[in-house]
Amino acid sequence: MPRITPTLWFDTEGKEAAEFYVSIFPNSEIKSVQYYGEAGPRPAGTVMTVEFALDGQEYLALNGGPQFTFDEAISLSIDCADQEEVDHYWAALSKGGEEGPCGWLKDRYGLSWQVVPAEMKSLLADPDPGRAQRAMKAMLGMRKLDVAALRAAADGGEGA
């Protein structure tokens, strides 16, 4: 089966971004860095690509130039075990970036992330449609997701 590697296009900050991401996630590393040569199209000796892994998932950062930028049409979703993980990833990735609604944020490089507690899936798929809708309504009013508030809303409490 072919291996699929997401490639992230940066202007010039691909190595800096890869180092930032690797510093946040466990089981992560920079695997290799390649540089432009005399053939260009960027100046010889500047970083061309960075192969890196985030918690075992491989990525490629490409310093391709300013022609393309990130938007919300693509995001990376983090399934967090609990509120502590949500808080950790939210704080680390939003620093210097921009908080968005419903657990979404843009990091300092403009890449969109969804920081989602694992329990969110079961709340939204609850067999009781009322619980699911109350959880959805609560989520829509949040920026960083709050597991306790989502549970309370689903149960008909605060935020319902």
Side-chain angles (χ1 to χ4, degrees), residues 38-63:
E38 294 301 323
R42 313 240 27 212
T46 60
V47 173
M48 179 175 65
T49 60
V50 180
E51 293 179 54
F52 64 104
L54 300 179
D55 198 20
Q57 168 66 51
E58 293 189 10
Y59 294 87
L60 182 73
L62 167 68
N63 283 335

Side-chain angles (χ1 to χ4, degrees), residues 131-155:
R131 286 191 90 241
Q133 290 305 303
R134 289 189 298 271
M136 173 65 88
K137 182 178 178 184
M139 182 195 67
L140 292 173
M142 295 178 182
R143 289 182 111 39
K144 178 178 72 171
L145 299 183
D146 179 325
V147 177
L150 289 165
R151 273 189 220 124
D155 293 338

